[in-house]
Amino acid sequence: MEKRLVSGEEWQSEDESELSLRPKTLSQYIGQAKIKQEISVYIQAAKQRQEALDHVLLYGPPGLGKTTLAAVIANEMQVNFKATSGPAIERPGDLVALLNDLEPGDILFIDEIHRLPKNIEEILYSAMEDFCIDIIVGQDSTAHPVHFPLPPFTLIGATTRAGMLSAPLRDRFGILGHMNYYTQDELIQIVKRSANVLGTLIKDEGALEVARRSRGTPRVANRLLKRVRDFAQVAQKEEIDQKIVAYALELLRIDQEGLDDTDRKLLQTMIMLYNGGPVGLTTLAANIGEENDTIADMIEPYLMQIGLIKRTARGRMATKKAYEHLGLPYKNN
Ligand code: ADE
């Protein structure tokens, strides 16, 4: 039998190493300069006044570091960080239990906050505004209102689109942070930092190649880096160079622009079946076998960002650049 290289305790799951890739402080956090600059002022001001930070809403495409930034804010505020998500809170009691557990100044992070059930969202209104909850406990003849005071706390909500939140909930956030896709330079810095944390050597050209194919998204960059590291290690390369990145990503079927099979299938469907569009979201979803939300939140925003598709009143359209990317002849109709 093959000998294990390390004892059980030394095995690290990828999730654990992922956590260690995450920055702990605002100064370690790369990119999102506008949000960082603003939030560092609000953090300093709140700390000086010894108050809880105002509620924060972070919105933008998946994988841009909303959870990471929320944890960084808690660390900078020197308070506890409790994380949950909209779909995980099913009953009013779940939310009450979370709120009940908070100490003054603590941060409650709710990911996918747009997926909170409506009756629970309503409990949040008074919790956010007046730091108290009023709920009905018991049923029928034993039903009675109960008033819970709460410590001042900070709610950080994250969502892919701010427009999916109801207006009353959105209005209760004092600080709005719009997360943008990262620039190539920022992704290069993230890849180099992550390589350093993982103890892997990477050449500038290798970091550039990973960054170029990461769809402006740190989560993607870190995932690709780990896969490329595996290829480099097995090929006994001491340093990750452009060649091994290109080789690994070709096997992973990730192209020059960072598009995968699903992205290309979407573009091909628009072009081959619908003559480039306009075509509706639901029609596209049915054709490529994905959910509407998956296309709208995860696939389409990046294709739009790099100008391969555009949205019109009558539906989505493939641009000339999309035809060129797939090597198809463009007919201007
Ligand atoms: N790892 C993932 N996202 C990061 C970021 N924005 N800055 C630094 N390291 C990261």
Side-chain angles (χ1 to χ4, degrees):
M1 202 172 80
E2 210 176 343
K3 228 173 90 186
R4 286 180 81 168
L5 296 176
V6 288
S7 73
E9 293 98 77
E10 288 167 60
W11 288 98
Q12 227 192 5
S13 76
E14 289 216 344
D15 279 355
E16 283 171 61
S17 64
E18 170 69 30
L19 285 183
S20 63
L21 294 184
R22 293 187 176 182
K24 303 277 180 297
T25 63
L26 273 182
S27 62
Q28 287 172 353
Y29 193 99
I30 296 157
Q32 310 299 343
K34 188 170 162 288
I35 301 183
K36 270 191 312 192
Q37 192 183 16
E38 257 191 61
I39 208 96
S40 78
V41 173
Y42 307 144
I43 289 173
Q44 284 179 61
K47 281 172 84 171
Q48 281 168 8
R49 291 195 302 262
Q50 297 190 299
E51 281 177 4
L53 182 71
D54 204 349
H55 306 301
V56 182
L57 180 66
L58 300 174
Y59 61 98
L64 298 194
K66 295 187 282 289
T67 308
T68 306
L69 182 58
V72 164
I73 293 171
N75 185 45
E76 296 276 1
M77 286 294 296
Q78 298 166 295
V79 297
N80 297 310
F81 180 67
K82 305 258 162 66
T84 182
S85 76
I89 307 178
E90 290 176 354
R91 284 156 305 168
D94 299 337
L95 180 63
V96 173
L98 284 165
L99 293 170
N100 210 18
D101 212 25
L102 297 173
E103 290 171 36
D106 277 0
I107 287 181
L108 175 65
F109 175 70
I110 306 185
D111 200 6
E112 297 191 74
I113 193 165
H114 60 277
R115 291 178 62 190
L116 270 182
K118 187 81 196 142
N119 58 330
I120 293 174
E121 186 180 310
E122 281 163 5
I123 302 174
L124 262 189
Y125 297 161
S126 64
M128 291 173 78
E129 210 156 57
D130 306 319
F131 300 119
C132 68
I133 33 185
D134 291 287
I135 52 167
I136 306 290
V137 172
Q139 274 184 340
D140 302 328
S141 63
T142 66
H144 58 285
V146 179
H147 177 84
F148 279 106
L150 297 170
F153 71 100
T154 301
L155 178 71
I156 303 185
T159 181
T160 44
R161 284 173 278 161
M164 289 196 295
L165 246 59
S166 71
L169 182 56
R170 202 172 52 226
D171 291 347
R172 283 173 169 80
F173 288 97
I175 303 169
L176 300 183
H178 179 186
M179 311 277 291
N180 289 303
Y181 284 112
Y182 290 68
T183 66
Q184 194 163 300
D185 280 347
E186 289 163 353
L187 287 169
I188 290 174
Q189 288 179 57
I190 290 171
V191 169
K192 286 184 172 174
R193 177 182 180 277
S194 298
N196 194 27
V197 172
L198 295 171
T200 304
L201 296 175
I202 186 163
K203 285 190 170 162
D204 287 352
E205 54 171 54
L208 169 64
E209 194 64 32
V210 174
R212 281 203 325 171
R213 303 205 202 196
S214 296
R215 317 173 122 251
T217 307
R219 183 186 292 159
V220 176
N222 285 331
R223 192 177 68 219
L224 296 184
L225 174 66
K226 285 192 210 156
R227 293 294 71 80
V228 169
R229 174 179 67 149
D230 291 342
F231 280 98
Q233 184 185 317
V234 170
Q236 300 191 324
K237 285 223 183 196
E238 275 181 15
E239 226 178 346
I240 297 172
D241 57 13
Q242 191 270 341
K243 238 174 86 185
I244 191 101
V245 176
Y247 171 76
L249 296 190
E250 192 171 324
L251 286 181
L252 292 172
R253 306 182 52 78
I254 292 169
D255 68 26
Q256 301 281 330
E257 296 271 8
L259 308 196
D260 62 17
D261 285 334
T262 312
D263 298 309
R264 286 188 294 268
K265 196 163 151 196
L266 184 86
L267 295 176
Q268 268 157 4
T269 303
M270 291 174 86
I271 292 172
M272 314 285 261
L273 294 188
Y274 298 96
N275 209 12
V279 50
L281 180 62
T282 307
T283 310
L284 276 176
N287 268 293
I288 70 163
E290 296 282 350
E291 298 284 330
N292 283 19
D293 282 353
T294 309
I295 297 183
D297 293 340
M298 325 221 348
I299 303 178
E300 203 177 61
Y302 186 69
L303 297 177
M304 228 147 8
Q305 162 88 9
I306 60 171
L308 294 183
I309 61 179
K310 62 182 180 197
R311 244 195 226 154
T312 70
R314 289 182 302 137
R316 282 81 177 149
M317 293 190 73
T319 63
K320 182 162 178 259
K321 198 175 158 194
Y323 285 77
E324 287 165 1
H325 185 75
L326 296 179
L328 296 169
Y330 179 67
K331 304 178 287 290
N332 196 352
N333 42 11

